[in-house]
Amino acid sequence: MFHAKKPSTMNSHDRPMCVQGDSGLVLTTDPKPRLRWTVELHERFVDAVTQLGGPDKATPKTIMRVMGVKGLTLYHLKSHLQKFRLGKQPHKEFNDHSVKDGDRATSLELQRNSASSSGMIGRNMNEMQMEVQRRLHEQLEVQRHLQLRIEAQGKYMQTILEKACQTLGGEENMSLPTRTFKGIGNHQGGLTPDISAAFKEFGTPPLTFSSFQDLNICGEHIDLHAQSSMGERSSSFDGFMNLSNTSTDHNLSLGKKRSSPYNTSNGKSPFMWSDDFRLHELGGGGSCLGSNNEDDHQIIQMERSCNPEIDSVSDMYESKPLLQDEKKFDTKPERPSPRRAAQVSSLSAQGGRNSVFG
Amino acid sequence: MATIVDETISDFDCYGSLSIASTTITTTTTATTSSSSWNDWSPVFDWDVFSGGDNFQDLIESMVQGSGNCFYKSEHQDCAEFMEEEEESGDSNNNQSEDIDGLKLVHLLMAAAEALTGVNKSRELARVILVRLKELASPNGATNMERLAAYFTEALQALMEGSASGTLHTKHMFSPNYKDEHRQGDVLAAFQLLQDMSPFVKFGHFTANQAIFESVTHDRRVHIVDYDIMEGIQWASLMQALVSRKDGPPTPHLRITALSRSGSGRRSFGTVQETGRRLTAFAASIGQPFSFHHCRLDSDEIFKPTNVKLVRGEALIINCMLHLPHFSYRASDSVASFLSGSKTLNPRLVTLVEEELRPIGDEEGFVGRFMDTLHHYSALYDSLEAGFPLQSRARALVERVFLGPRITGSLARMYRARGEEERCSWGEWLSGVGFCESNISFANHCQAKLLLGLFNDGYRMEEIGTNKLVLGWKSRRLLSASIWTTMDIDL
C-alpha cells in the first residue's frame, strides 16, 4: 500500500538494485518498491528512539516526527520498530546483568539490526566506535546533570534551614562577625548539645553540609549572595556567610592552612569529585551548625586558624589547599576541558566497582 | 559488699576466662556469699534460686546436651541456664571481644524475641533478658551493635508492656506522632546529616526524578501527585532539570498535588502548606512555572481519586516515596488505596521507592522477621559508620531521631501482624493490580552509579528486572526504586 505514496521516488536506476529518492530514501526497484534501511537511516532511527526514551517508549508517530524524514511513513516505522524491539530482546541475555537498558543499542545490536535490515555488514567497526563515543558522551552528560541536581537540592535545603533558623532564632540584628547561635541556643526548640557535638565532628562549619554548592564543579558558580539575603537577615548563617564576604578575614585561612589531603582512610568524602578539585569556601553552608554559645564559636574559629593539625583529625570535607591567589570567591572559574577530562578519568579511576563504564 | 558486687558483675561482663567448670565453682561461691547483694542488684530476678547447689549438675548436663529445647524447662531454671549460657559464650579469646559482645547481644535479642512470641512463651524470661540487655547496651554505646541492640531492646520492651496491658497502644506509641517529641532543631539537623552521610534519600529522589524527566520530554504540562511530600526536597532537583532542559518544548508547567493528612504532620518540616509555599518560592527563584495544590485525606487516610483535579493534556505522574529513612510509616491500607486509586486516573508513570526486605515465610514467624529486621538495620548502621567512622555523635543523632523510632514502629507492626499473611512488596502489589514495568534508562542507571561513587565503596547497586534499581549495603539490599506505567506500548 505504501508504494502508492511514493510515485516520485521511482527514478531511473543508478544502482542495479536500489534507487535514491529525492528525500534521501533508498528504495529497491523490485516490482514492489520497498524501503531500504541504510545504516544512516537506521542511525537516525536509533537516535530518534533514544531521544524518545527507548524502543518501548517510542511510538511510530513520535519517531516520525522526530526523525523528520520526508517520505517515511508510519508503516515503515511500525515494522522497523517492531523488528528493532525484537532484535533487542535476545540480547538482553548476553548483556551484563548490571548493564540492561532499552535505550542503549550495543554495537552488537546495531550490527544485527543493520545487517538484517540493510544488508550492509561492513560498517561494524565504525558503528562500534560511534557507539562507544555516544556512550561516553552520555555519561558525561549524566555526571554534569547529577552535579546540578545535587546543587539544587542543597539550595532547597538551605531554604528549609533558613526558615527554621529564623523561627528558632528570632530577629536579632547583631554585628555579623559575632553572630552566633546564642539566640538559638536559648530557644526552646534550639540546638541541643547533641547537635552541636554532632556537627563539631565534621570540623569546619562553613564546609559542612554545604553540599555541592560550595564545590564549583564544572565551574558552575552558585551565587550564594544573590540567592539568599542572609547577609542582612539575622540568621545564624551570618557568622559563616561572613566568611565569603571578606577576603582578608582570618577565617579564610581555613582553606589555605588545610594541608592534609582527603581522609581516604575513612572512606571517601562524598563530595570529592576529583583530586584537582578546590573546595571553595563560600561560607554560607546550608546549616545551622556550630556551637550554641558564643565562646565556643569563637574558640573554634580561632583554633582553626592557629592549628592546622586539628583539621586533619576530624574534617570530612577536606581538600587540597587553595592556591594562594584564590582568595576571592566571586571569580567564576572557567570550565576548562582538561579539568573535565581529569574529573572523568579520576572518576573512573576511583574504582572498578562503580565504574561508570559498567 | 559493694565491691563484691562489682567484682561479680565484672566477672559476668567480661567473660574472660571462665570455663564451664570454673563457672560452676565461681558462681556457686559468689552466689552463696553474696546472694543477698545480688538481689539488691537485680530485684527482678530471684537469685536465690540460682544459688542452690543442686541445680548445677542438671544445668551442666543440659549445657552439654546443648539443645535449645532445654531452654524452656521451667521458668527459673530457664533463667539460670540462660545466664550460664551467657557466660559460656564469652569463653573465647579476648581479642575478639567486640565481636563476641556483638554476637552476645544478637543472641540475647533473639532469645528475647523468642521468649516473647515463641512456641514456649515466657514473659518472665523475656523480662530478664531485656533487663540484661539494657545493662549491656546503651543508645550512646561505642559500637554499632550496642546502639542497635539498645533500640531493639526498647522496642521489645514497649511490645511487652503493650501486650501486658492487654491492648497495644499502637496508634499512640508507634505512630508518626512519636517523632514530634523530638525537637525541631534535632530533626532538621538529623535530616541534613542523613542526607550528607548516606545516599538513600538522594538515590530515591534522583532515580524517580530522572524517570519522570525522561517521560515528559515532549510535554507542556506536568502534574505530579505526591503521596507523602514531607519537606519537598525531591522536587527541587526535578525543577532544576526541567528548567535546564535543552531539547523539546520550553520548560513545562509543573503542578504538584500533595496529599495532606489531618492530624499532625512532621512538625519540623511544617505542614504541607508550608512545603507548598517553599516549593513555590523555590520554583520562582529558578524560573519554573509552578503551582501547588493539596488534597486532604480524611482521618482514615484513604485516598479518593476524585479529589484530585486533573487538567486535559497534562502528563500525570504518581510519586510514592515510602520507606526513606526519615519518613514515617504509613498504614498499608492508605498506601493501597493511593496506588489503586491512582490506577483509575491513568497516570503516565508511577514512581515507587520502598525498602527492600527479604520475604519471610510464615514458618519463621515473628522471630524470623525480627532477625531480618535486625539484619536490615545493622546493615544501615554499618553503612553510616563505614563512611563516617569518626563522626559517631552525628550518627548517634540520626539513629536517635530517625532510625530508633522506625525500629520501634517496625517491630510493633510485625508483632501485631504475626499470624497474618506476609505482605508482599508494593512493587509486586503494583504489578498484581495491573501496572506494567517501565524501563530504567541507561542514563538513570548511570546516574545512580555515579551517585554511589560519591559515597563509600560498600554501597551496591543492583538492577532487578527492567524497572527496578536496588541500593544495598554490601550484601544486604536496603532500598529499591521502581518505575511503573499503566499504558501498554502502542505500536
Side-chain angles (χ1 to χ4, degrees), chain B residues 82 102-117 126 129-130 133-134 136-137 145-157 366-367 370-371 374-375 407 411:
Chain B
F82 162 72
L103 200 58
K104 185 168 55 193
L105 289 171
V106 172
H107 285 161
L108 286 174
L109 283 170
M110 184 156 99
E114 183 73 50
L116 206 56
T117 61
I129 301 177
L130 286 178
L133 274 169
K134 274 189 262 195
L136 290 177
M145 200 59 226
E146 199 184 321
R147 292 197 303 275
L148 193 61
Y151 286 112
F152 272 84
T153 307
E154 208 177 286
L156 285 173
Q157 185 80 44
F366 176 79
V367 178
F370 177 83
M371 293 308 287
L374 187 59
H375 188 204
I407 292 172
L411 288 192

Side-chain angles (χ1 to χ4, degrees), chain B residues 427-456:
Chain B
E428 283 164 20
W429 192 91
L430 278 179
S431 75
V433 170
F435 284 95
C436 314
E437 305 186 349
S438 174
N439 284 339
I440 299 259
S441 71
F442 170 69
N444 209 342
H445 195 134
C446 187
Q447 176 181 255
K449 279 204 212 162
L450 279 174
L451 180 66
L452 288 199
L454 300 178
F455 293 86
N456 189 281

